[in-house]
Amino acid sequence: MAITPAQVFAALLSDPDQENNRRCRPERRRSKSPAAGGEREVQVSASAEVSAPPNRARLYVMVASKKETAAAAKGSVNRRLDYIVQSVRGHGVREDSVTVTKDFRRVENAYQMEAEVCVIFGDFGKMEDLCNLLVEKLDSSVIVGSPQFYHTTEAVESIRRQACLRAVANSRRKAFEVCRLLGQTLGRPLIIREEETRESEGLASEAPTPDNTRPLTVQQQISNASVTVCSKVFVTFELKSKDNFKRNN
């Protein structure tokens, strides 16, 4: 008598409580990046350069006198010092932009008095007018120094922002031209990353002074103190599908 083979099916059942909890627990889904989701995109890099002259100038004016008596030394300096301060204020410089320091000492059998006036200018034309006035009206005991041009912290930050924003604008124009060439429609930016920032002083177009013995002119000093910021960005833009483009229109 032939024996019919038997078939056995088995399954491992989990704990009913654990099974119910698993079914009630919401399914976790991994967030997908734009690239992982298969979205169409275009990636471009662009750069921009912004140059700006200094927005402040620091001017030092020194007064000195050496006399046999202390009163004579002080009187000589104070007369010139009062005239300098009045001239500075007459050119519209605020009081908090003027600093006066004095030094009084005895040298051998005489008394020496020195005073220094530091003035911060935002208007370089007024600074030049003041320098010319002091040189014309005062004697050789008054020394008008060369101005020191510089940028404030706020001005440098503004130049950096302008360079970055222009680089982003250049990247959008670049991506738009690529899309137009390929018959595509440019969408919103997905990723904007500033990859590099370079800063330098002086204008590259300025030629070196042919005669190093001659002092620099005011315009040359301004050019040397100018700041140039170059920003390079990497931007990923979305490519709109034709269906989305039609719906938006």
Side-chain angles (χ1 to χ4, degrees):
M1 179 176 180
I3 301 176
T4 303
Q7 295 180 352
V8 179
F9 296 92
L12 297 177
L13 299 178
S14 59
D15 189 328
D17 294 336
Q18 294 181 357
E19 183 67 15
N20 292 334
N21 292 336
R22 186 184 65 81
R23 291 178 180 178
C24 296
R25 189 184 304 121
E27 183 181 359
R28 295 183 180 179
R29 295 183 179 180
R30 296 182 180 179
S31 59
K32 296 181 179 180
S33 63
E39 294 188 8
R40 301 162 66 245
E41 60 186 32
V42 57
Q43 300 178 350
V44 297
S45 61
S47 60
E49 186 177 279
V50 176
S51 298
N55 65 327
R56 292 289 186 275
R58 185 182 293 108
L59 179 69
Y60 290 97
V61 182
M62 284 74 69
V63 187
S65 178
K66 186 177 180 181
K67 301 291 183 180
E68 294 182 356
T69 63
K74 291 181 179 180
S76 177
V77 170
N78 288 332
R79 284 193 302 271
R80 292 167 175 79
L81 189 60
D82 291 341
Y83 179 81
I84 294 171
V85 173
Q86 291 177 5
S87 300
V88 170
R89 293 177 179 173
H91 283 73
V93 180
R94 298 185 309 179
E95 186 175 353
D96 58 355
S97 297
V98 182
T99 304
V100 179
T101 57
K102 298 180 180 180
D103 179 58
F104 183 73
R105 68 172 69 95
R106 184 163 186 166
V107 181
E108 297 177 352
N109 295 326
Y111 295 89
Q112 182 169 316
M113 176 93 174
E114 295 179 352
E116 182 182 75
V117 183
C118 176
V119 189
I120 305 297
F121 285 93
D123 188 331
F124 299 160
K126 292 182 178 180
M127 181 193 65
E128 292 181 9
D129 293 340
L130 177 65
C131 291
N132 295 335
L133 176 67
L134 296 180
V135 171
E136 177 184 358
K137 298 297 182 179
L138 299 178
D139 56 26
S140 58
S141 64
V142 178
I143 300 175
V144 181
S146 298
Q148 301 174 2
F149 297 95
Y150 66 98
H151 290 80
T152 59
T153 303
E154 294 78 8
V156 175
E157 288 296 331
S158 177
I159 299 171
R160 293 169 181 166
R161 287 194 299 269
Q162 293 179 40
C164 182
L165 293 177
R166 290 188 186 182
V168 173
N170 291 341
S171 70
R172 184 170 185 81
R173 284 193 291 267
K174 186 176 181 180
F176 179 79
E177 293 295 333
V178 172
C179 290
R180 187 174 65 173
L181 178 65
L182 300 177
Q184 302 294 320
T185 303
L186 185 65
R188 61 189 177 89
L190 301 175
I191 299 175
I192 300 177
R193 181 173 66 247
E194 189 174 27
E195 293 189 321
E196 182 182 3
T197 302
R198 298 193 309 272
E199 298 182 16
S200 60
E201 289 189 355
L203 298 179
S205 59
E206 285 292 327
T209 306
D211 187 1
N212 294 329
T213 61
R214 296 178 56 186
L216 296 178
T217 64
V218 172
Q219 291 301 322
Q220 287 174 330
Q221 294 179 59
I222 292 176
S223 297
N224 289 342
S226 297
V227 170
T228 300
V229 178
C230 180
S231 176
K232 182 179 180 181
V233 298
F234 174 85
V235 185
T236 299
F237 290 95
E238 176 189 21
L239 286 180
K240 289 184 179 180
S241 63
K242 294 183 179 179
D243 294 339
N244 292 336
F245 181 72
K246 290 179 181 179
R247 284 197 298 266
N248 294 334
N249 289 340

